[in-house]
Amino acid sequence: MTASAPRVAFLHTGAVVIPPVADLAREHLQGVTPINYLDDKIVADLGDDERAGSVPERLTDLVRAAASAGADVVMFTCSSISHFAAPVGAEVGIPVLRIDEAMADIAVATGDRIAVLATLPTTLTPTIGLIRERAELAGRNPEITSEVIDGAFAAVSSGDRATHDRIVAEAIERLAVDVDVVVLAQASMASAAEAAHVEVPVLTSLEPGIRRLSEAVAAL
């Protein structure tokens, strides 16, 4: 790390996540210079057989750009790409963190019945995989139920945040009655957690992820 203020690069796949990440960075990463990188076609291309193969190289290029800009650590803010963090970080030679890892650890520690909700199928599978990975490390074997919420992503993509939050909140309330904890797989779903009225924790990735990032920066 340089003697000047540390630099943290955030790699986003959707512009909607940039403002809340910036707010949390100001709160938890005081004295740190943030850098934002955006490729808003990655999630769509992960679902395209012809383009999915380009994603690892694109992520590697963006992380190399971050390193060239002086970043001391990079954080992927999208759960759909979190499984690329370790191999890309190893190739570039810079720490690359997953914003959803802390959330997964909290979920595993909270209970053995976990519901995972997503608004995109490309996010659901890696999030479940991450929870299973962190559960294995913790010596746990949770029962995981999951659902892709129809219509929510289309609503938020068109700018209709209210409809998105209502649809997601309804799904949270429906699944929460049979589980110990609900996990929202995408950072863009965080606003819906406040609209749901349930008696179990509803976890989102942003704040736990940024808190863990602050610990990593302090340890550099």
Side-chain angles (χ1 to χ4, degrees):
M1 188 167 66
T2 62
S4 59
R7 288 188 164 197
V8 171
F10 295 102
L11 202 161
H12 310 281
T13 63
V16 68
V17 178
I18 296 177
V21 167
D23 289 343
L24 287 167
R26 281 190 291 271
E27 180 180 353
H28 297 290
L29 296 168
Q30 295 181 9
V32 170
T33 300
I35 312 170
N36 291 289
Y37 294 88
L38 171 66
D39 183 335
D40 63 2
K41 295 301 181 186
I42 280 182
V43 171
D45 289 350
L46 282 171
D48 183 334
D49 291 341
E50 294 184 1
R51 299 184 185 275
S54 71
V55 171
E57 182 178 357
R58 286 153 63 183
L59 293 173
T60 300
D61 289 344
L62 288 168
V63 172
R64 288 193 194 282
S68 296
D72 300 290
V73 61
V74 176
M75 172 162 271
F76 287 179
T77 66
C78 175
S79 296
S80 293
I81 60 170
S82 65
H83 57 294
F84 292 112
V88 170
E91 181 171 349
V92 179
I94 185 173
V96 179
L97 306 184
R98 303 180 288 190
I99 200 164
D100 50 358
E101 184 177 275
M103 175 183 68
D105 287 340
I106 296 169
V108 168
T110 299
D112 290 324
R113 299 177 303 163
I114 302 172
V116 181
L117 292 173
T119 63
L120 285 171
T122 52
T123 309
L124 193 65
T125 298
T127 300
I128 293 172
L130 174 60
I131 292 172
R132 294 201 184 282
E133 171 193 323
R134 305 306 292 182
E136 184 176 355
L137 289 172
R140 306 287 290 270
N141 184 29
E143 175 187 342
I144 300 174
T145 58
S146 63
E147 181 178 318
V148 177
I149 306 168
D150 290 337
F153 184 76
V156 77
S157 297
S158 68
D160 189 353
R161 170 63 64 176
T163 296
H164 166 277
D165 288 357
R166 176 181 57 78
I167 296 172
V168 174
E170 289 172 354
I172 293 170
E173 292 172 355
R174 176 163 42 80
L175 269 66
V177 296
D178 295 318
V179 299
D180 302 310
V181 58
V182 177
V183 171
L184 302 186
Q186 288 145 250
S188 60
M189 300 169 71
S191 58
E194 301 175 3
H197 301 286
V198 295
E199 296 183 1
V200 300
V202 180
L203 304 182
T204 59
S205 62
L206 289 182
E207 185 154 2
I210 298 298
R211 286 184 182 275
R212 181 162 293 184
L213 175 59
S214 71
E215 295 169 1
V217 171
L220 288 173

